[in-house]
Amino acid sequence: QESAITHSWDNLFAHVVAAAIADTLGERTFQDVLQIMGQPGGLDTLREMVANCGGADVTYWFDAISINWHATICGGFGPQPAEDSPQFQAFDT
């Protein structure tokens, strides 16, 4: 199995790592994994959990430099709304 991961600069890197591990374990959220990561020996525990579920064969492609995919594959973000419109107020914040 292969998956691609991207992230937001508003999030912590630990959240991205926890999300990948949680996905491998079949978890819907990453909070429990994040908690285990923060415990002494937590990374060893998670390695064992991943190995036991067969997750060692999962590959994650991580967009480490956060390429703007909208600009590269979507042709940009679309046109800017008219400055006197309510849409521009939301766009400009």
Side-chain angles (χ1 to χ4, degrees):
Q1 174 187 345
E2 293 185 359
S3 295
I5 298 176
T6 189
H7 76 290
S8 166
W9 288 107
D10 295 334
N11 291 331
L12 299 175
F13 183 72
H15 293 175
V16 177
V17 173
I21 295 170
D23 182 68
T24 300
L25 296 173
E27 299 292 325
R28 292 182 56 124
T29 63
F30 68 87
Q31 287 82 3
D32 291 341
V33 170
L34 187 64
Q35 183 179 10
I36 295 170
M37 283 174 57
Q39 297 173 358
L43 293 179
D44 290 332
T45 299
L46 290 169
R47 281 188 196 102
E48 184 177 325
M49 291 170 68
V50 167
N52 288 340
C53 78
D57 297 328
V58 178
T59 300
Y60 287 91
W61 297 94
F62 178 63
D63 180 9
I65 58 174
S66 294
I67 295 169
N68 181 347
W69 291 111
H70 290 285
T72 59
I73 63 174
C74 299
F77 287 109
Q80 176 177 312
E83 289 190 22
D84 60 345
S85 69
Q87 291 83 5
F88 181 79
Q89 296 301 320
F91 169 83
D92 197 39
T93 56

